[in-house]
Amino acid sequence: MSGRFIEVPYRMLPADTLDALLEGFVTREGYDTTDEGEGMPAWVRELKGQLERGELLIAHDLQTETTEVMTLAQWHAFGRQLADDEEEG
């Protein structure tokens, strides 16, 4: 992908920042946080495990200064879309 995006090592983020990014991902992806279990904290713990296993990544867009959590499939699809957009533009 272009130099516009960088992968952010999750271990470099302050805990509250990482939690906020993961909570945003949970909300955006439509996870059920209303169950009678632990809700959001349980999802955040699960996603941290996925980060550790390399199933998720955190990408920062230097142009828009936004940071997002993505699955590898989302990252690859995003890269293909970006490449197509660059070819057209």
Side-chain angles (χ1 to χ4, degrees), residues 31-47:
Y31 287 62
D32 181 8
T33 58
T34 61
D35 64 16
E36 293 186 18
E38 296 180 54
M40 185 66 78
W43 283 119
V44 168
R45 277 194 309 280
E46 170 63 27
L47 294 175

Side-chain angles (χ1 to χ4, degrees), residues 1 6 8 11 15 21 23 27 31 33 36 38-39 45 49 52 56-57 63-64 68-69 73-74 76 85 88-89:
M1 237 179 274
I6 57 171
V8 178
R11 288 187 171 104
L21 284 169
E23 288 173 6
T27 302
Y31 287 62
T33 58
E36 293 186 18
E38 296 180 54
R45 277 194 309 280
E52 290 174 6
L56 294 177
L57 61 84
Q63 183 176 354
T64 64
E68 297 290 340
V69 177
Q74 289 170 327
H76 293 302
D85 290 349
E88 292 173 8

Side-chain angles (χ1 to χ4, degrees), residues 24-31 69 71 74:
F25 180 81
V26 165
T27 302
R28 187 175 67 248
E29 295 298 312
Y31 287 62
V69 177
T71 65
Q74 289 170 327

